[in-house]
Amino acid sequence: MNKIILLILIFCSVSIFSQDKNQQENFIDVAESKCLDKKEISNAQMLECSIKAGQSWDKELNKYYNLLAAKLPKDAFEILKASQKEWIIYRDKEFKFITKFYFEVKEGTMWYNIAENKKKEIVKNRALELQMYFENLEY
């Protein structure tokens, strides 16, 4: 009987966790999925979807950076500002390598989509980090 109750609790926990994950899907990811979800889509159209999503993530990153700038104590913001400058250096160098690798080393237009997606993910991850810092200020 205890095993059955335990199994039911585990099942409910997994079910609730997966619902939370779906509810937390970001509006940018949803928009990109809709963009990519066309019946017949060319490589150029896929590339455009990734580029637009990357631009949206960059706006989101800047939004949370500015929100943190307004809320953090000055000394903490100065550290974030220095960190952000270093992250931008990393991003630019990584973008340069991604472009070189996928546009010159690899051959074929499908690699352009992979390159833009990798760039988008770098910006997305930083945007989500900044968002998490901002949201943690409220707790």
Side-chain angles (χ1 to χ4, degrees), residues 28-44:
I28 298 170
D29 292 334
V30 171
E32 183 182 24
S33 290
K34 285 180 183 176
C35 183
L36 292 169
D37 204 22
K38 297 173 185 164
K39 219 172 200 181
E40 290 188 29
I41 186 167
S42 69
N43 279 347

Side-chain angles (χ1 to χ4, degrees), residues 24-70:
Q24 292 179 358
E25 189 172 22
N26 190 284
F27 69 95
I28 298 170
D29 292 334
V30 171
E32 183 182 24
S33 290
K34 285 180 183 176
C35 183
L36 292 169
D37 204 22
K38 297 173 185 164
K39 219 172 200 181
E40 290 188 29
I41 186 167
S42 69
N43 279 347
Q45 290 169 319
M46 282 192 260
L47 184 61
E48 189 176 313
C49 294
S50 290
I51 290 170
K52 283 182 182 178
Q55 292 167 342
S56 294
W57 279 114
D58 191 55
K59 287 178 186 173
E60 195 76 353
L61 183 153
N62 288 313
K63 175 181 117 179
Y64 282 104
Y65 179 81
N66 290 325
L67 287 169
L68 285 163

Side-chain angles (χ1 to χ4, degrees), residues 90-110:
Y90 158 76
R91 179 204 63 195
D92 291 348
K93 287 181 179 180
E94 193 67 16
F95 278 19
K96 187 175 182 178
F97 173 71
I98 289 168
T99 299
K100 184 77 165 173
F101 185 77
Y102 287 108
F103 285 56
E104 295 178 26
V105 175
K106 302 299 289 178
E107 293 182 18
T109 57
M110 73 171 216

